[in-house]
Structures are given as structure tokens and as C-alpha cells.
Amino acid sequence: MSSSPRVVVIPFGVPPSGEGLGLGLAALVHGFVQLRGESVALAQLMSQEPEENKGPKPVETFLPPQAWRDLSARGETPPDVHMVMTGAFEPPADGLPGSIQLLAFDPRDGVTRARVEAHLDDRGAGRTLCEAFEDLCRPLEGELGVFRDIGDLEWEALESVLRGERCLVHDPRRGRPYDRRAALVHLERAVEDAPASRFAAGRLAATAIDAVMNGRDHRLADAAMRTLHRAMAGAPEQVDLLEASAALRARTGDLRSAESDALAAIALEPKRARLYGLLSEARRSQSDLDGAMAAVDRGLEVASEDPVLLTEQAILLKLKGDVVNARRALERALLAAPPFPGAFVQLASIAVEQQDVLLAEALVDRALAWNHPHPEILRQAILLSFGAEPEGIARATRIVKLGRTLLDGLPNDAWAHLMLGRALKQQGEREEALAVLRLAERHAPGTNIASEAVRERLPLEDPETSLELESVMHGAMHAPLPDLPLIAARAQRLAERHTLWIAHYAVGIARRRMAAWGLARRAFEAAIALAPGSPDLLLELAEASMALGEGDEALRLAEQARGVAGDGPRTLGALAKAECSRGNYREAEIWVLRALIHDPKDEANVRLEAEIRVKSEAASRTPSSPSGTSARLKDVVTKWVRRR
């Protein structure tokens, strides 16, 4: 289990004209610098006066030892911190030099451990910052790592990098970076200003990949692709950009272009092992498993224990039905230091698919035993524990440990607070569970996480109402049709008395089953006003809109649900139904077949696929091909398969 951070960096103080640059510089230190072998945590101090319509914003300030002690006395700093890095940064402006002042002190006694001051001009800004941090870190047994690569940047490009890094800082309220789109703009500008800089190209590539792979905003993903390809035109020899383009084209279904980009990148840098993994993925997605395995084999000749290649090898073996050797490859991948999250996710998938409780428990044990595991490993372990282990104190105890470990690294993560609150509730720790669940709401207001936290709190705060609501919800979903008017009335009284979104949801479910679509939509709208991030409510509203003949609105709501919950059988099926209701049968067929790629046995989508096919044939008066769903699935896999 990880411990609380021992080394922290405070966003550097800057003048008003440089707002954001101090946080961006601190983010670079957090991302790449180590002191005595430990990473540097980023301390986000939030303003007490919320920025209008945006909530509290991060503070950039020089924080002397006495100010740290004052914060500690109020319980606003992590415990056991051994080193604090702080300072003031005056960027160069209008041809005048700027300055950097850095201070490292031990917060336990306030003693200064290192101090550096330097002037920096436009031409040598990156080099001067590198030298200043090198001087600061040398007596602290520090290592700059990739931070050194900013050394070739002049101020104009460096400013764009810092502004981009500021936009990529984790937003604790929403559980994701502050503004990926703005980060892409700043980093593209940095590449334009410094096309030979590996650092600028690498950060743009990483940001574009993150926007597509980890985000659920499909317009952002399109913007990331356009940004990346514009940068490639100006810096064609940057292999990082080619690599990112290959990854994103594979993710978005442009598989031949992905294969071409990967081969071009390999020609530039044949010893970069992960390029062979991308080449394999592109070929795998075109159902060329032999070509994919050949690419992996070539890569393993370059790096025999590369975790990315071993994970890709495992995916191929699993597709060929060789689960035993797939597991062996993933076990080898997990021997990497630090453990590779992709391998852990794939092993977790095998545990779920095979209902292998022993494997699931073993993976959770390993996540608990590793020191500072990747957050995605901790998230998967929490989900595995909830899904595979029997409910009880033992399971709750393990999830509490995992949740606390995740919060050590991401102290404001709303999802982690929700999971921790659930586990504490199961342990019987009522007061702590309530406090943690309230934090989940505070860090993610207006999201599905906040609405789920409200639902989890109710049994702890008002057990009687919770039991009544549980009874009403069960009745709304399962009671005979003649009983539904009474159940809807009970749910409505609960909703009016307690302002609970789940009560309005129960009203809507009952009205939907009664085919009272107007009343159902009204109830779902009342619910979503209280829980605006709930994908379940968005999908119910989409269903009601279709029933009321409002196909365009149904499509908008289905797209919104997909933006919140991502691709899955329900969200893709809802898009298919919405397009079908609008008479767009080809688009509907594409969406439903993509849904069936996720779960070929989903009965609702199997029926929907048949219904869409019948309507499409009736509209075109063209008999269907006898090849059936399986052939169309293969076609859609080739064109649309998502990255595994």
C-alpha cells in the first residue's frame, strides 16, 4: 500500500500576466523530476473565493515555511511530508529578462535545504530553467529526467508548453484534466515554434493519445486528430507524432493508415519496441492475426520483455483461443517495473470472462502488495473486488485499502471517494462513510458520481425513507401493471417530500411501463435536474423521446449518454434505436453491430439488429444477403473496431 507523498511542489508564484505558468511549471516538475528516488506530488491549493461559474481555482504562490506550518495546523496539508519545493517565476516580457527563484525546505523544522536564483532571457529560457532546477536538485539527490528536454526551447515555445501543461493538470472536481482542448492548441503552437524539439512533439503526441483513448468527448477526439496531423506536416521527422497518429487511427478505425504510420515510424526508429505493438494492433483489427503476430515477434526480437508487446501478444493468443499462454504472456508483462497497467487490465478481463474468482482475488492481492501502482491498476482492482469477491467485511476491508491507496495519489478523485464510501458503509463505519461520500459529491457536482453518492448516503442518513424508496423502486420495475398507478403515486410523494432523484426515477419507470410516455419523460426530466450526469436517466429520456416521435432529441440524448458512459451495448444500442427512429437505417445498423461487437449475446441488441434489418429491407425493397449478422459483424469489426 502506498504512503502519503513525502515530497511536494507548490505551483510557483507568478505575476498576473503570467497566470497559469506557475502551475504549468509545477506540473512539469511533478511529471518528470524525482528526489531521492521519489516522485514529486503536486499540491493544488484552491482559492477560497470561487471563480465565477467555474468553482475554486488553483493558487500559484511562493509558500514560505511559516505559511506551510499555518496550513498544516489547519489540517490542509498531507502528513509526513519531508520536502517542499516552492518559488516565484517572473517570465521574460517585452525583451526584458525574467527571473526564477526556487526554495526547497524541510517542513518539519522549516530549515532551507536548497535555494536558487537565476535570470532568464527569451533565447535561453529553457536552458536556464534546466540549470536552475539542476542546481536545486543536486544537494537533494534529485534527478530531472525528461525535464531536461525543455533545455532547447526558447521562451515562445516554452511558454506554450507551460500553458499546455497547466491545462493538463488533474481537475479534482471533474476527475479529468482541466482543458485538454486548450492543451492541444498550446502544444501545437510549441511544435510550430520548435519543430526539432522532441519534448514539444512528445507532449503533443501524449496529449492527443490521452484525449482519444481516455476521454469520451468525440468532438475532442476529432480535434486531437486534426491537431496532430497539422503538427506532423510541420515536423515530419518527429517519430512521436507518427506513433501517436498510428495509435489514434487504429482507435478510430482508419486501420490501413494506422498500419502505414506505424511502418513509417519503424523506418525512422526501428528499435522502438512499442511501434511493433501498434503495427500488430492495426493488423489485428483488420483480422490479420498472422501479420499481427509477425509484428509482435519482430518487436520482441528488439525488446524481449517489453510489457506492451507481451500484452499485445496475449491479446492475439486469446483471440486464437489460447488463454493459457495468453495468461503466461500477461504474467511476464506484469514483471515490469512498475507493473504495466494494460497487462493488469487484460488479466482482469480474463478473470471476469472466465468467472475465475481465484484469479480475481490474486490480482487484488497483488495490487495491494505493489508499491505505488498505477491508478488504473487500483481502479481495476476495486472493480474486481466488488464484482468477484463475496460481499462482507473481508471484501470491504480490501476495497478500503485500495481506495485509500488510490486517494494517496489522486487525493481529490471523486470516483475513488465513492468506492471508498461504499466500502466503509459495508464495514459499518457510518460517520467516515458519510464524510467520504460527501467529498465525492463535492469533487464532482452535477455528475453521475455525485448522484450515486447521494443514493449511497440515504440509508445512512434516513434508513426508513431508504427502505421505502427501495420498495417503491422494486415495485416500479417488477410489479404487475394494475399496481403501477399506486406505485407511481407513492414514488411521487417520496420525491416531493425528500427531493430525491431516485424517487423521480421510480415515477418515470412506472409511467414508462404504463406507456404514459409524456408523464414518464416529465419524471425523468425532474430526476435529471437533480442528477444531471446520470447516463441511465439520459437513456430513459432518449427512449421517451423516441416514443413521442422526437427522433432528433432522442439522438442528442443518446450521444450525451455515450459521452458520459462511453461505448457499450446500452449506449451504442440507444444510438442505433435513435437513428432507426429517424429512418437512418444504415447508420442504425452500424451502431447496433458495434454494440454487438461489445456483447454478441445481448438479447435486446440482437432483436434490434433484426428489426433494423427488416425496416431497411422494407425501405429499399432489396432482399438481404444470406450471409447474416456474422458477416456484417466482421465488416463492421474491420471498419469500426475499437481498441481492445
Side-chain angles (χ1 to χ4, degrees), residues 466-493:
S466 178
L467 287 172
E468 185 178 359
L469 185 56
E470 187 178 328
S471 171
V472 165
M473 192 68 210
H474 184 271
M477 298 180 72
H478 304 293
L481 289 178
D483 296 341
L484 290 177
L486 179 60
I487 289 168
R490 286 177 58 200
Q492 186 65 45
R493 285 194 298 271

PDB file of all heavy atoms in Angstrom, residues 466-493:
ATOM      1  N   SER A 466     -35.080   5.227   3.047  1.00  0.00           N
ATOM      2  CA  SER A 466     -34.321   4.388   2.131  1.00  0.00           C
ATOM      3  C   SER A 466     -35.044   3.069   1.872  1.00  0.00           C
ATOM      4  O   SER A 466     -35.136   2.606   0.727  1.00  0.00           O
ATOM      5  CB  SER A 466     -32.923   4.122   2.687  1.00  0.00           C
ATOM      6  OG  SER A 466     -32.195   3.271   1.834  1.00  0.00           O
ATOM      7  N   LEU A 467     -35.566   2.460   2.929  1.00  0.00           N
ATOM      8  CA  LEU A 467     -36.287   1.195   2.765  1.00  0.00           C
ATOM      9  C   LEU A 467     -37.557   1.389   1.943  1.00  0.00           C
ATOM     10  O   LEU A 467     -37.887   0.563   1.079  1.00  0.00           O
ATOM     11  CB  LEU A 467     -36.625   0.608   4.134  1.00  0.00           C
ATOM     12  CG  LEU A 467     -35.447   0.012   4.918  1.00  0.00           C
ATOM     13  CD1 LEU A 467     -35.880  -0.357   6.329  1.00  0.00           C
ATOM     14  CD2 LEU A 467     -34.890  -1.210   4.193  1.00  0.00           C
ATOM     15  N   GLU A 468     -38.267   2.479   2.220  1.00  0.00           N
ATOM     16  CA  GLU A 468     -39.483   2.741   1.456  1.00  0.00           C
ATOM     17  C   GLU A 468     -39.147   2.978  -0.017  1.00  0.00           C
ATOM     18  O   GLU A 468     -39.844   2.486  -0.910  1.00  0.00           O
ATOM     19  CB  GLU A 468     -40.220   3.952   2.031  1.00  0.00           C
ATOM     20  CG  GLU A 468     -41.562   4.201   1.359  1.00  0.00           C
ATOM     21  CD  GLU A 468     -42.319   5.372   1.948  1.00  0.00           C
ATOM     22  OE1 GLU A 468     -41.813   6.002   2.902  1.00  0.00           O
ATOM     23  OE2 GLU A 468     -43.417   5.668   1.442  1.00  0.00           O
ATOM     24  N   LEU A 469     -38.080   3.723  -0.267  1.00  0.00           N
ATOM     25  CA  LEU A 469     -37.684   4.004  -1.639  1.00  0.00           C
ATOM     26  C   LEU A 469     -37.257   2.717  -2.352  1.00  0.00           C
ATOM     27  O   LEU A 469     -37.578   2.506  -3.530  1.00  0.00           O
ATOM     28  CB  LEU A 469     -36.542   5.016  -1.642  1.00  0.00           C
ATOM     29  CG  LEU A 469     -36.067   5.528  -3.001  1.00  0.00           C
ATOM     30  CD1 LEU A 469     -37.217   6.131  -3.787  1.00  0.00           C
ATOM     31  CD2 LEU A 469     -34.960   6.551  -2.823  1.00  0.00           C
ATOM     32  N   GLU A 470     -36.545   1.860  -1.646  1.00  0.00           N
ATOM     33  CA  GLU A 470     -36.139   0.590  -2.229  1.00  0.00           C
ATOM     34  C   GLU A 470     -37.358  -0.245  -2.623  1.00  0.00           C
ATOM     35  O   GLU A 470     -37.396  -0.860  -3.694  1.00  0.00           O
ATOM     36  CB  GLU A 470     -35.272  -0.170  -1.221  1.00  0.00           C
ATOM     37  CG  GLU A 470     -34.654  -1.439  -1.764  1.00  0.00           C
ATOM     38  CD  GLU A 470     -33.763  -2.118  -0.741  1.00  0.00           C
ATOM     39  OE1 GLU A 470     -33.142  -1.407   0.073  1.00  0.00           O
ATOM     40  OE2 GLU A 470     -33.705  -3.358  -0.751  1.00  0.00           O
ATOM     41  N   SER A 471     -38.377  -0.236  -1.755  1.00  0.00           N
ATOM     42  CA  SER A 471     -39.605  -0.972  -2.055  1.00  0.00           C
ATOM     43  C   SER A 471     -40.314  -0.389  -3.274  1.00  0.00           C
ATOM     44  O   SER A 471     -40.775  -1.129  -4.153  1.00  0.00           O
ATOM     45  CB  SER A 471     -40.532  -0.930  -0.834  1.00  0.00           C
ATOM     46  OG  SER A 471     -41.797  -1.449  -1.140  1.00  0.00           O
ATOM     47  N   VAL A 472     -40.402   0.933  -3.327  1.00  0.00           N
ATOM     48  CA  VAL A 472     -41.062   1.595  -4.450  1.00  0.00           C
ATOM     49  C   VAL A 472     -40.311   1.327  -5.757  1.00  0.00           C
ATOM     50  O   VAL A 472     -40.920   1.050  -6.799  1.00  0.00           O
ATOM     51  CB  VAL A 472     -41.170   3.107  -4.165  1.00  0.00           C
ATOM     52  CG1 VAL A 472     -41.509   3.871  -5.436  1.00  0.00           C
ATOM     53  CG2 VAL A 472     -42.221   3.379  -3.104  1.00  0.00           C
ATOM     54  N   MET A 473     -38.966   1.392  -5.710  1.00  0.00           N
ATOM     55  CA  MET A 473     -38.176   1.167  -6.916  1.00  0.00           C
ATOM     56  C   MET A 473     -38.361  -0.257  -7.421  1.00  0.00           C
ATOM     57  O   MET A 473     -38.518  -0.488  -8.631  1.00  0.00           O
ATOM     58  CB  MET A 473     -36.697   1.439  -6.619  1.00  0.00           C
ATOM     59  CG  MET A 473     -35.826   1.520  -7.853  1.00  0.00           C
ATOM     60  SD  MET A 473     -36.207   2.990  -8.841  1.00  0.00           S
ATOM     61  CE  MET A 473     -35.802   2.378 -10.475  1.00  0.00           C
ATOM     62  N   HIS A 474     -38.372  -1.208  -6.511  1.00  0.00           N
ATOM     63  CA  HIS A 474     -38.585  -2.607  -6.897  1.00  0.00           C
ATOM     64  C   HIS A 474     -39.963  -2.772  -7.532  1.00  0.00           C
ATOM     65  O   HIS A 474     -40.128  -3.453  -8.551  1.00  0.00           O
ATOM     66  CB  HIS A 474     -38.436  -3.516  -5.678  1.00  0.00           C
ATOM     67  CG  HIS A 474     -38.544  -4.976  -6.022  1.00  0.00           C
ATOM     68  ND1 HIS A 474     -39.751  -5.646  -6.035  1.00  0.00           N
ATOM     69  CD2 HIS A 474     -37.598  -5.887  -6.375  1.00  0.00           C
ATOM     70  CE1 HIS A 474     -39.553  -6.905  -6.375  1.00  0.00           C
ATOM     71  NE2 HIS A 474     -38.248  -7.074  -6.589  1.00  0.00           N
ATOM     72  N   GLY A 475     -40.970  -2.135  -6.932  1.00  0.00           N
ATOM     73  CA  GLY A 475     -42.311  -2.217  -7.481  1.00  0.00           C
ATOM     74  C   GLY A 475     -42.415  -1.583  -8.854  1.00  0.00           C
ATOM     75  O   GLY A 475     -43.073  -2.113  -9.759  1.00  0.00           O
ATOM     76  N   ALA A 476     -41.779  -0.430  -9.031  1.00  0.00           N
ATOM     77  CA  ALA A 476     -41.826   0.252 -10.324  1.00  0.00           C
ATOM     78  C   ALA A 476     -41.251  -0.624 -11.433  1.00  0.00           C
ATOM     79  O   ALA A 476     -41.730  -0.598 -12.571  1.00  0.00           O
ATOM     80  CB  ALA A 476     -41.056   1.567 -10.247  1.00  0.00           C
ATOM     81  N   MET A 477     -40.261  -1.428 -11.096  1.00  0.00           N
ATOM     82  CA  MET A 477     -39.592  -2.241 -12.107  1.00  0.00           C
ATOM     83  C   MET A 477     -40.258  -3.597 -12.314  1.00  0.00           C
ATOM     84  O   MET A 477     -40.223  -4.145 -13.423  1.00  0.00           O
ATOM     85  CB  MET A 477     -38.117  -2.430 -11.731  1.00  0.00           C
ATOM     86  CG  MET A 477     -37.327  -1.131 -11.663  1.00  0.00           C
ATOM     87  SD  MET A 477     -35.598  -1.366 -11.229  1.00  0.00           S
ATOM     88  CE  MET A 477     -34.968  -2.089 -12.732  1.00  0.00           C
ATOM     89  N   HIS A 478     -40.904  -4.153 -11.241  1.00  0.00           N
ATOM     90  CA  HIS A 478     -41.337  -5.551 -11.327  1.00  0.00           C
ATOM     91  C   HIS A 478     -42.812  -5.802 -11.015  1.00  0.00           C
ATOM     92  O   HIS A 478     -43.295  -6.911 -11.255  1.00  0.00           O
ATOM     93  CB  HIS A 478     -40.489  -6.397 -10.374  1.00  0.00           C
ATOM     94  CG  HIS A 478     -39.018  -6.298 -10.620  1.00  0.00           C
ATOM     95  ND1 HIS A 478     -38.412  -6.786 -11.760  1.00  0.00           N
ATOM     96  CD2 HIS A 478     -38.010  -5.729  -9.885  1.00  0.00           C
ATOM     97  CE1 HIS A 478     -37.115  -6.547 -11.709  1.00  0.00           C
ATOM     98  NE2 HIS A 478     -36.844  -5.906 -10.587  1.00  0.00           N
ATOM     99  N   ALA A 479     -43.519  -4.829 -10.483  1.00  0.00           N
ATOM    100  CA  ALA A 479     -44.910  -5.068 -10.069  1.00  0.00           C
ATOM    101  C   ALA A 479     -45.810  -5.297 -11.282  1.00  0.00           C
ATOM    102  O   ALA A 479     -45.524  -4.827 -12.387  1.00  0.00           O
ATOM    103  CB  ALA A 479     -45.428  -3.880  -9.261  1.00  0.00           C
ATOM    104  N   PRO A 480     -46.938  -6.018 -11.100  1.00  0.00           N
ATOM    105  CA  PRO A 480     -47.916  -6.182 -12.190  1.00  0.00           C
ATOM    106  C   PRO A 480     -48.442  -4.826 -12.644  1.00  0.00           C
ATOM    107  O   PRO A 480     -48.517  -3.871 -11.864  1.00  0.00           O
ATOM    108  CB  PRO A 480     -49.025  -7.032 -11.550  1.00  0.00           C
ATOM    109  CG  PRO A 480     -48.378  -7.686 -10.379  1.00  0.00           C
ATOM    110  CD  PRO A 480     -47.327  -6.745  -9.888  1.00  0.00           C
ATOM    111  N   LEU A 481     -48.833  -4.743 -13.910  1.00  0.00           N
ATOM    112  CA  LEU A 481     -49.281  -3.471 -14.475  1.00  0.00           C
ATOM    113  C   LEU A 481     -50.417  -2.816 -13.693  1.00  0.00           C
ATOM    114  O   LEU A 481     -50.413  -1.589 -13.513  1.00  0.00           O
ATOM    115  CB  LEU A 481     -49.698  -3.674 -15.939  1.00  0.00           C
ATOM    116  CG  LEU A 481     -48.555  -3.949 -16.930  1.00  0.00           C
ATOM    117  CD1 LEU A 481     -49.117  -4.185 -18.325  1.00  0.00           C
ATOM    118  CD2 LEU A 481     -47.570  -2.800 -16.955  1.00  0.00           C
ATOM    119  N   PRO A 482     -51.422  -3.568 -13.179  1.00  0.00           N
ATOM    120  CA  PRO A 482     -52.512  -2.898 -12.450  1.00  0.00           C
ATOM    121  C   PRO A 482     -52.041  -2.166 -11.189  1.00  0.00           C
ATOM    122  O   PRO A 482     -52.724  -1.248 -10.724  1.00  0.00           O
ATOM    123  CB  PRO A 482     -53.462  -4.058 -12.103  1.00  0.00           C
ATOM    124  CG  PRO A 482     -53.178  -5.100 -13.125  1.00  0.00           C
ATOM    125  CD  PRO A 482     -51.715  -4.996 -13.394  1.00  0.00           C
ATOM    126  N   ASP A 483     -50.881  -2.562 -10.637  1.00  0.00           N
ATOM    127  CA  ASP A 483     -50.390  -1.935  -9.411  1.00  0.00           C
ATOM    128  C   ASP A 483     -49.573  -0.672  -9.665  1.00  0.00           C
ATOM    129  O   ASP A 483     -49.222   0.051  -8.726  1.00  0.00           O
ATOM    130  CB  ASP A 483     -49.529  -2.922  -8.622  1.00  0.00           C
ATOM    131  CG  ASP A 483     -50.316  -4.131  -8.139  1.00  0.00           C
ATOM    132  OD1 ASP A 483     -51.559  -4.031  -8.105  1.00  0.00           O
ATOM    133  OD2 ASP A 483     -49.682  -5.158  -7.809  1.00  0.00           O
ATOM    134  N   LEU A 484     -49.234  -0.412 -10.918  1.00  0.00           N
ATOM    135  CA  LEU A 484     -48.297   0.668 -11.209  1.00  0.00           C
ATOM    136  C   LEU A 484     -48.816   2.066 -10.864  1.00  0.00           C
ATOM    137  O   LEU A 484     -48.035   2.900 -10.395  1.00  0.00           O
ATOM    138  CB  LEU A 484     -47.860   0.604 -12.673  1.00  0.00           C
ATOM    139  CG  LEU A 484     -46.943  -0.581 -13.021  1.00  0.00           C
ATOM    140  CD1 LEU A 484     -46.634  -0.598 -14.516  1.00  0.00           C
ATOM    141  CD2 LEU A 484     -45.648  -0.531 -12.217  1.00  0.00           C
ATOM    142  N   PRO A 485     -50.112   2.386 -11.078  1.00  0.00           N
ATOM    143  CA  PRO A 485     -50.559   3.736 -10.689  1.00  0.00           C
ATOM    144  C   PRO A 485     -50.339   4.038  -9.218  1.00  0.00           C
ATOM    145  O   PRO A 485     -49.911   5.147  -8.855  1.00  0.00           O
ATOM    146  CB  PRO A 485     -52.046   3.729 -11.054  1.00  0.00           C
ATOM    147  CG  PRO A 485     -52.149   2.731 -12.159  1.00  0.00           C
ATOM    148  CD  PRO A 485     -51.164   1.658 -11.809  1.00  0.00           C
ATOM    149  N   LEU A 486     -50.606   3.056  -8.350  1.00  0.00           N
ATOM    150  CA  LEU A 486     -50.395   3.256  -6.916  1.00  0.00           C
ATOM    151  C   LEU A 486     -48.908   3.428  -6.605  1.00  0.00           C
ATOM    152  O   LEU A 486     -48.525   4.292  -5.807  1.00  0.00           O
ATOM    153  CB  LEU A 486     -50.978   2.080  -6.135  1.00  0.00           C
ATOM    154  CG  LEU A 486     -50.808   2.136  -4.608  1.00  0.00           C
ATOM    155  CD1 LEU A 486     -51.488   3.384  -4.043  1.00  0.00           C
ATOM    156  CD2 LEU A 486     -51.376   0.872  -3.968  1.00  0.00           C
ATOM    157  N   ILE A 487     -48.079   2.631  -7.240  1.00  0.00           N
ATOM    158  CA  ILE A 487     -46.630   2.723  -7.008  1.00  0.00           C
ATOM    159  C   ILE A 487     -46.101   4.074  -7.480  1.00  0.00           C
ATOM    160  O   ILE A 487     -45.280   4.713  -6.808  1.00  0.00           O
ATOM    161  CB  ILE A 487     -45.911   1.562  -7.713  1.00  0.00           C
ATOM    162  CG1 ILE A 487     -46.228   0.242  -6.977  1.00  0.00           C
ATOM    163  CG2 ILE A 487     -44.407   1.795  -7.770  1.00  0.00           C
ATOM    164  CD1 ILE A 487     -45.821  -0.977  -7.733  1.00  0.00           C
ATOM    165  N   ALA A 488     -46.576   4.527  -8.637  1.00  0.00           N
ATOM    166  CA  ALA A 488     -46.142   5.832  -9.140  1.00  0.00           C
ATOM    167  C   ALA A 488     -46.544   6.942  -8.183  1.00  0.00           C
ATOM    168  O   ALA A 488     -45.772   7.889  -7.947  1.00  0.00           O
ATOM    169  CB  ALA A 488     -46.738   6.076 -10.519  1.00  0.00           C
ATOM    170  N   ALA A 489     -47.739   6.832  -7.597  1.00  0.00           N
ATOM    171  CA  ALA A 489     -48.195   7.851  -6.644  1.00  0.00           C
ATOM    172  C   ALA A 489     -47.328   7.840  -5.388  1.00  0.00           C
ATOM    173  O   ALA A 489     -46.972   8.902  -4.859  1.00  0.00           O
ATOM    174  CB  ALA A 489     -49.659   7.604  -6.288  1.00  0.00           C
ATOM    175  N   ARG A 490     -46.985   6.644  -4.885  1.00  0.00           N
ATOM    176  CA  ARG A 490     -46.100   6.546  -3.712  1.00  0.00           C
ATOM    177  C   ARG A 490     -44.738   7.171  -4.017  1.00  0.00           C
ATOM    178  O   ARG A 490     -44.183   7.917  -3.197  1.00  0.00           O
ATOM    179  CB  ARG A 490     -45.921   5.081  -3.305  1.00  0.00           C
ATOM    180  CG  ARG A 490     -47.116   4.445  -2.616  1.00  0.00           C
ATOM    181  CD  ARG A 490     -46.830   2.979  -2.339  1.00  0.00           C
ATOM    182  NE  ARG A 490     -45.639   2.802  -1.523  1.00  0.00           N
ATOM    183  CZ  ARG A 490     -44.942   1.654  -1.453  1.00  0.00           C
ATOM    184  NH1 ARG A 490     -45.301   0.617  -2.196  1.00  0.00           N
ATOM    185  NH2 ARG A 490     -43.891   1.570  -0.675  1.00  0.00           N
ATOM    186  N   ALA A 491     -44.206   6.859  -5.180  1.00  0.00           N
ATOM    187  CA  ALA A 491     -42.903   7.410  -5.555  1.00  0.00           C
ATOM    188  C   ALA A 491     -42.968   8.928  -5.687  1.00  0.00           C
ATOM    189  O   ALA A 491     -42.031   9.640  -5.290  1.00  0.00           O
ATOM    190  CB  ALA A 491     -42.426   6.777  -6.860  1.00  0.00           C
ATOM    191  N   GLN A 492     -44.070   9.438  -6.224  1.00  0.00           N
ATOM    192  CA  GLN A 492     -44.223  10.873  -6.380  1.00  0.00           C
ATOM    193  C   GLN A 492     -44.247  11.575  -5.027  1.00  0.00           C
ATOM    194  O   GLN A 492     -43.639  12.633  -4.841  1.00  0.00           O
ATOM    195  CB  GLN A 492     -45.509  11.185  -7.152  1.00  0.00           C
ATOM    196  CG  GLN A 492     -45.690  12.657  -7.492  1.00  0.00           C
ATOM    197  CD  GLN A 492     -44.622  13.155  -8.465  1.00  0.00           C
ATOM    198  OE1 GLN A 492     -44.311  12.500  -9.457  1.00  0.00           O
ATOM    199  NE2 GLN A 492     -44.043  14.308  -8.165  1.00  0.00           N
ATOM    200  N   ARG A 493     -44.933  10.966  -4.043  1.00  0.00           N
ATOM    201  CA  ARG A 493     -44.961  11.555  -2.698  1.00  0.00           C
ATOM    202  C   ARG A 493     -43.562  11.581  -2.089  1.00  0.00           C
ATOM    203  O   ARG A 493     -43.164  12.562  -1.454  1.00  0.00           O
ATOM    204  CB  ARG A 493     -45.924  10.774  -1.801  1.00  0.00           C
ATOM    205  CG  ARG A 493     -47.395  11.047  -2.103  1.00  0.00           C
ATOM    206  CD  ARG A 493     -48.303  10.539  -0.985  1.00  0.00           C
ATOM    207  NE  ARG A 493     -48.213   9.093  -0.817  1.00  0.00           N
ATOM    208  CZ  ARG A 493     -48.980   8.217  -1.480  1.00  0.00           C
ATOM    209  NH1 ARG A 493     -49.879   8.649  -2.360  1.00  0.00           N
ATOM    210  NH2 ARG A 493     -48.854   6.935  -1.265  1.00  0.00           N
TER     211      ARG A 493
END
